[in-house]
Amino acid sequence: MVRNKRRTGECIKVILIFLVLSLTGSALAVNGDKTLLNQAKQIFGPLPKAMISEKNPVTPEKVALGKILFYETRISIDGTVSCARCHPIGLYAADGLEKSIGNNCKLNPRNAPTVFNAAGEISAHWIGNRMDVEDQAKQAMIGPPSFGMPSYEAVEKKLRGIKGYAPLFKKAFPEEEDPINVDNLAKAFGAFVRTLVTPSSFDAFLKGKQTALAAPQKSGLKTFIETGCITCHSSEYVGGQIYRKFGVAEPYWQYTKSKNVDEGRFAVTKNEDDKYVFKVPVLRNVEMTSPYFHDGSVERLHDAVLIMGEVQLAKTLADQEIEEIVLFLKSLTGQIPDDALKVPLLPPN
Amino acid sequence: MVRNKRRTGECIKVILIFLVLSLTGSALAVNGDKTLLNQAKQIFGPLPKAMISEKNPVTPEKVALGKILFYETRISIDGTVSCARCHPIGLYAADGLEKSIGNNCKLNPRNAPTVFNAAGEISAHWIGNRMDVEDQAKQAMIGPPSFGMPSYEAVEKKLRGIKGYAPLFKKAFPEEEDPINVDNLAKAFGAFVRTLVTPSSFDAFLKGKQTALAAPQKSGLKTFIETGCITCHSSEYVGGQIYRKFGVAEPYWQYTKSKNVDEGRFAVTKNEDDKYVFKVPVLRNVEMTSPYFHDGSVERLHDAVLIMGEVQLAKTLADQEIEEIVLFLKSLTGQIPDDALKVPLLPPN
């Protein structure tokens, strides 16, 4: 609750900044690099070292277990699904598919977003039907199109069946008598995912290094701010803090190649106002995680930016504006933590 | 051809050693550790640093490309299959399934063996219907239950569609004008797989370090030699050099939990003598790659050893003998090369 209030506060702050900027006649346009940096510092912010949680403190032992479990296929109903299947680290933790294909070839309802920096979001999943990364991991175990297990007990039985897990869970949860359970599995996953922070040249810029962004990237950042993209895409994560209707100005499906109309968060709240509402995605590493939108309906980043201008802001962005925004967005492609790039050895059958 | 002759020569040598040992009334049993080491040196041999090929010299650039391609799902028909799917590095490059599940949930006809040390085998696949690791990789692209692509051209089109591959292929094959093609993909895969050598404590022993094997492991090795396991499981790879009927003494399916009878290499040669004939598997890392046999029908290594005694050698091994053989086999669990444990970054869409 406290966290949500803070997020709402931040969001109001960003909207106010945007309004002030608009009212003062695009003050940014006439100011220099220094002003741009100061504005950017207020709107965004460099990524933290890890995305902490009071409920689930990150410990090296939990992270180590979580990383092993991230690659574990044997806890899925058909033995082919692991977190890494839909979030392969080498592809910036997104799978390149419109919609992920889970156990027994079941299609997931929406595009798999990267898990990098995802623990900084207000919730998990496009429609916010998972509280946080721990909740996401836990529910994925019994999610029909993901791991597809019949029950949490069945997952726990699989884990107990692989001898090597008992000491790993014991290390991660030393105070518990019998630590092999799905809640601890979720905590371990969560701890690992909370370390997946990918600082980029944009963070160097936000910390004051003017040369970290090239001139066209700075122009792109200016346009990103002035056009109003920051109304939704703000914070350290450049998104992920609010829900917003996809298609504020016009229905999104008239612009995307969507195969069907997704009512979004309405499915969760049954509130008419939540029709076509989705969580605003984090734009960190967006260059690397095509295809775009909740249904993966758009392949090129250029097209995605164009569509956002049309349907969210009722603005037809010029080609050069789009190109510069895309260049700015490329500055959000970050460095994957070394440890995440190392494959863990799994306990044998 | 030359290679096959050499292998046959080696195999005859091993059989002769075995016969001499048998005829001299288990000479090993009364000799000490030194004799065991000398025998082992003649029968096996430490692993090489890389499994070289005259046709496909291993270069760092080919290895780097091959490692990236090893994780590439976007060259499969449904976007979910990569080499790593059935050969996950963290599970010792085997997937823990009876039979691998490929594109669109298609079941593969046989168990996926580890690709570690696999380039040292006489051929690839259980029935030897792939010449070598390069041939295996190439044919997997259009294999209906694996990558499932309609043609090699379709694979090449996918590769060309991912911009980042052009410079990587150019680096790996600098002398070619237009190097993006499936033959080069196969060479790159092959080069990577040829580096996947996993030396273990058994190699240290073979190099003269007596303490590398514990006393019960040495007993297991003795039994492994004296019982006749080495008739098939010899060379640096402890197998992989010959084809042999599974069920020399008795039909294998009377002992395994096989769901159907597989006629093995008969499918390739149509020669009656090849019925139920399979390539003898490499036993390197066998502890880590359950389930066992061509159909993954046996889960426990203990049971697999017991069955081999019965159906191949017409011998009922005592429990203690089996346990010691299993302990010896655990000395074949090797060290995965550091570089193979690092996830490569793939070029984005």
Side-chain angles (χ1 to χ4, degrees):
Chain A
M1 255 332 246
V2 174
R3 191 179 174 222
N4 283 2
K5 267 191 192 161
R6 189 168 64 81
R7 297 290 182 198
T8 311
E10 274 172 15
C11 182
I12 290 169
K13 193 177 80 182
V14 168
I15 293 171
L16 284 174
I17 291 169
F18 174 61
L19 285 174
V20 168
L21 287 175
S22 304
L23 292 170
T24 54
S26 298
L28 273 179
V30 291
N31 285 328
D33 278 359
K34 210 171 163 185
T35 310
L36 180 67
L37 176 58
N38 284 336
Q39 295 294 352
K41 278 183 181 174
Q42 287 179 64
I43 298 161
F44 307 102
L47 283 169
K49 286 210 169 159
M51 296 165 285
I52 57 169
S53 154
E54 281 170 33
K55 281 195 300 183
N56 184 26
V58 172
T59 67
E61 294 78 11
K62 271 195 258 180
V63 172
L65 173 60
K67 196 168 99 169
I68 290 170
L69 291 167
F70 191 80
Y71 287 89
E72 185 54 86
T73 48
R74 293 167 293 178
I75 48 175
S76 67
I77 191 72
D78 68 354
T80 74
V81 180
S82 67
C83 305
R85 170 158 166 173
C86 301
H87 304 287
I89 300 292
L91 271 172
Y92 272 75
D95 62 8
L97 295 169
E98 287 180 22
K99 294 173 182 177
S100 291
I101 299 166
N103 78 85
N104 292 300
C105 286
K106 286 179 197 146
L107 198 67
N108 278 264
R110 298 182 186 86
N111 176 267
T114 176
V115 292
F116 293 165
N117 313 296
E121 294 181 294
I122 194 172
S123 61
H125 275 199
W126 280 97
I127 58 171
N129 55 338
R130 303 288 184 265
M131 281 188 300
D132 48 31
V133 288
E134 287 80 7
D135 186 36
Q136 195 278 329
K138 181 176 174 178
Q139 292 203 49
M141 292 296 118
I142 53 165
S146 44
F147 287 72
M149 292 294 283
S151 66
Y152 292 134
E153 292 69 31
V155 178
E156 290 163 3
K157 200 181 158 193
K158 290 250 188 198
L159 285 170
R160 284 177 214 280
I162 301 167
K163 274 190 198 167
Y165 275 120
L168 292 169
F169 272 84
K170 194 69 200 170
K171 257 191 195 168
F173 304 96
E175 279 158 34
E176 296 185 31
E177 190 63 41
D178 183 18
I180 295 191
N181 57 59
V182 170
D183 284 314
N184 285 342
L185 168 139
K187 282 182 185 167
F189 272 133
F192 172 54
V193 170
R194 287 180 185 283
T195 68
L196 300 178
V197 181
T198 65
S200 70
S201 52
F202 186 52
D203 297 277
F205 174 76
L206 290 170
K207 286 176 181 170
K209 191 180 169 192
Q210 283 283 0
T211 54
L213 294 194
Q217 291 184 303
K218 285 180 190 169
S219 298
L221 171 57
K222 266 187 195 169
T223 313
F224 192 83
I225 293 172
E226 290 176 11
T227 312
C229 308
I230 56 158
T231 315
C232 296
H233 293 285
S234 62
S235 89
E236 308 91 298
Y237 305 96
V238 198
Q241 310 310 318
I242 53 169
Y243 301 103
R244 182 55 61 104
K245 185 176 177 181
F246 185 18
V248 173
E250 299 194 58
Y252 73 82
W253 54 89
Q254 290 181 10
Y255 288 80
T256 60
K257 290 177 188 157
S258 298
K259 287 163 192 159
N260 60 342
V261 174
D262 185 333
E263 295 191 326
R265 199 162 156 72
F266 175 73
V268 183
T269 64
K270 303 294 172 198
N271 180 340
E272 278 291 320
D273 293 344
D274 283 334
K275 269 199 176 161
Y276 322 121
V277 165
F278 297 89
K279 187 182 61 193
V280 173
V282 163
L283 295 187
R284 293 275 179 181
N285 304 305
V286 70
E287 170 194 11
M288 310 302 275
T289 57
S290 162
Y292 302 109
F293 301 137
H294 66 276
D295 53 5
S297 55
V298 171
E299 268 191 44
R300 292 177 59 231
L301 189 50
H302 186 280
D303 298 338
V305 173
L306 175 75
I307 292 167
M308 289 311 281
E310 298 285 352
V311 309
Q312 298 304 101
L313 303 165
K315 284 178 188 166
T316 301
L317 292 165
D319 252 8
Q320 199 193 328
E321 287 178 311
I322 297 174
E323 274 162 34
E324 287 175 346
I325 288 176
V326 167
L327 285 175
F328 158 61
L329 293 175
K330 287 185 179 182
S331 80
L332 302 176
T333 300
Q335 179 105 29
I336 302 174
D338 278 349
D339 190 60
L341 285 169
K342 222 178 152 208
V343 185
L345 291 185
L346 276 62
N349 274 359
Chain B
M1 252 337 242
V2 174
R3 190 178 176 222
N4 282 3
K5 268 190 191 159
R6 188 169 64 82
R7 297 292 182 198
T8 312
E10 274 173 16
C11 182
I12 290 169
K13 194 178 82 182
V14 167
I15 293 171
L16 284 175
I17 291 169
F18 174 62
L19 286 174
V20 169
L21 287 174
S22 303
L23 291 171
T24 54
S26 299
L28 274 179
V30 291
N31 285 328
D33 279 358
K34 211 170 162 186
T35 311
L36 180 67
L37 176 57
N38 284 336
Q39 295 293 351
K41 278 182 180 173
Q42 289 178 62
I43 299 162
F44 308 102
L47 283 170
K49 286 211 168 155
M51 295 165 284
I52 57 168
S53 154
E54 281 170 32
K55 283 194 300 183
N56 184 27
V58 172
T59 66
E61 294 78 11
K62 271 195 260 179
V63 173
L65 173 60
K67 196 169 100 169
I68 289 171
L69 291 168
F70 191 81
Y71 287 89
E72 185 54 86
T73 48
R74 292 168 293 177
I75 49 174
S76 68
I77 191 71
D78 68 353
T80 73
V81 180
S82 66
C83 305
R85 170 157 164 173
C86 300
H87 304 287
I89 301 291
L91 270 172
Y92 272 76
D95 63 8
L97 295 169
E98 287 180 22
K99 294 173 182 178
S100 290
I101 299 167
N103 78 86
N104 291 301
C105 287
K106 285 179 196 144
L107 199 65
N108 277 264
R110 297 182 187 86
N111 176 267
T114 175
V115 293
F116 292 166
N117 314 295
E121 293 181 294
I122 193 171
S123 60
H125 275 200
W126 281 96
I127 58 171
N129 55 340
R130 304 288 185 262
M131 282 189 299
D132 49 30
V133 288
E134 286 81 7
D135 186 37
Q136 194 277 329
K138 182 176 174 179
Q139 293 203 50
M141 292 295 118
I142 55 165
S146 43
F147 287 71
M149 292 295 281
S151 66
Y152 292 134
E153 291 70 30
V155 178
E156 289 163 4
K157 199 180 158 194
K158 290 251 188 196
L159 286 170
R160 285 177 214 280
I162 300 166
K163 275 190 198 168
Y165 275 120
L168 293 170
F169 273 84
K170 193 73 199 168
K171 256 192 198 168
F173 304 96
E175 280 158 33
E176 296 185 32
E177 190 62 39
D178 183 17
I180 294 190
N181 57 59
V182 170
D183 285 314
N184 285 343
L185 168 139
K187 281 182 185 166
F189 272 133
F192 171 55
V193 170
R194 287 179 185 285
T195 67
L196 300 179
V197 181
T198 64
S200 69
S201 53
F202 186 51
D203 297 277
F205 174 75
L206 290 170
K207 287 176 182 171
K209 192 180 168 191
Q210 282 284 359
T211 53
L213 295 194
Q217 292 184 303
K218 287 181 189 168
S219 299
L221 171 57
K222 266 186 197 171
T223 312
F224 192 82
I225 294 172
E226 290 176 9
T227 311
C229 308
I230 56 157
T231 315
C232 296
H233 293 285
S234 63
S235 89
E236 308 91 298
Y237 304 96
V238 198
Q241 309 311 318
I242 53 168
Y243 301 103
R244 183 55 61 102
K245 184 175 176 181
F246 185 17
V248 172
E250 299 195 58
Y252 73 81
W253 55 87
Q254 291 182 8
Y255 288 80
T256 60
K257 287 177 190 160
S258 298
K259 286 162 193 160
N260 60 342
V261 175
D262 186 333
E263 295 190 325
R265 199 162 156 72
F266 175 73
V268 182
T269 64
K270 302 294 172 199
N271 180 339
E272 278 291 320
D273 292 344
D274 282 335
K275 270 199 173 160
Y276 322 121
V277 166
F278 297 88
K279 187 182 61 193
V280 172
V282 163
L283 294 186
R284 293 274 179 181
N285 303 306
V286 69
E287 171 194 10
M288 309 302 274
T289 57
S290 162
Y292 302 110
F293 301 137
H294 66 277
D295 53 5
S297 55
V298 171
E299 268 190 45
R300 291 177 61 230
L301 189 50
H302 187 280
D303 298 338
V305 173
L306 174 76
I307 291 167
M308 289 310 281
E310 297 285 352
V311 308
Q312 298 304 101
L313 303 164
K315 284 178 187 164
T316 300
L317 292 164
D319 252 8
Q320 199 193 328
E321 287 178 311
I322 297 175
E323 274 161 34
E324 287 175 346
I325 288 177
V326 167
L327 285 175
F328 158 61
L329 293 175
K330 288 185 178 182
S331 80
L332 302 176
T333 300
Q335 180 106 27
I336 302 174
D338 278 349
D339 189 61
L341 285 169
K342 221 178 154 207
V343 185
L345 291 185
L346 276 62
N349 273 1

